[in-house]
Amino acid sequence: AGGQSTWGWKQTMIVRTSGGGPPTEGSETLSMPFVPQNAVPRSLQDGEPNWVNPTGQTVRGSDRRGSGAYQSPRTSGGRSRSHQGTDYVSTPGQDVVAVAGGLMTRTAIAYPDDPRYTGVVILTPSGFEIKLLYVQADSSLVGNIVGPGTIIGTAQNIAAKWVGMTNHVHVEVRAPAGHHIDPASMIPTP
């Protein structure tokens, strides 16, 4: 029908499942609201993220606790796994910015047994889910659209929990298909 408004994002339901199968009990569901085109920053109107560095610093190298690189080995509780994100060096208390624009869907807790360490989740218009951890979030931004480079909180002191670890902001990116991808392949470093 003629005369319809132009919309930036349509109502979308994204269901994340383990193993890529159909949704099951325990699947995570995210819902994005209708957003008028004129409410979407010009930098987001093409639907693709414009990536920026969350701290303006380098990727965390190796320290006494391991490496901050994507897929570096981790061991906890006797189980081995790979690091699903990239760590960007930070200074506790410094501003942390959104690495891409999108809807700040929620805050996050890094460790279920230690709620002091938190973060945020951003969903881009094209369906990338970005999780930033060790960030004291500006919770007033939850439910709002943030542009790339928007200050979303301040860096926390993760070295207080893990002695010998370089302070950093952990960034995880899930592609629209649901698999993790290396944030460093998109985020510029100095």
Side-chain angles (χ1 to χ4, degrees), residues 41-135:
R42 182 167 295 287
S43 62
L44 300 181
Q45 289 181 11
D46 62 1
E48 293 302 318
N50 298 302
W51 300 91
V52 298
N53 187 303
T55 65
Q57 299 190 53
T58 61
V59 172
R60 174 180 150 236
S62 294
D63 57 31
R64 286 184 25 205
R65 295 287 183 167
S67 167
Y70 181 71
Q71 300 259 317
S72 60
R74 296 284 189 271
T75 304
S76 61
R79 295 175 43 181
S80 296
R81 62 180 179 86
S82 62
H83 189 224
Q84 296 299 304
T86 300
D87 299 338
Y88 292 85
V89 173
S90 66
T91 303
Q94 84 166 87
D95 288 339
V96 175
V97 300
V99 299
L103 181 68
M104 196 160 130
T105 59
R106 63 183 171 92
T107 58
I109 296 176
Y111 304 102
D113 63 340
D114 192 348
R116 295 176 299 166
Y117 297 98
T118 59
V120 301
V121 177
I122 297 170
L123 188 60
T124 72
S126 54
F128 287 91
E129 181 186 74
I130 305 162
K131 185 183 292 182
L132 294 94
L133 297 175
Y134 316 132
V135 176

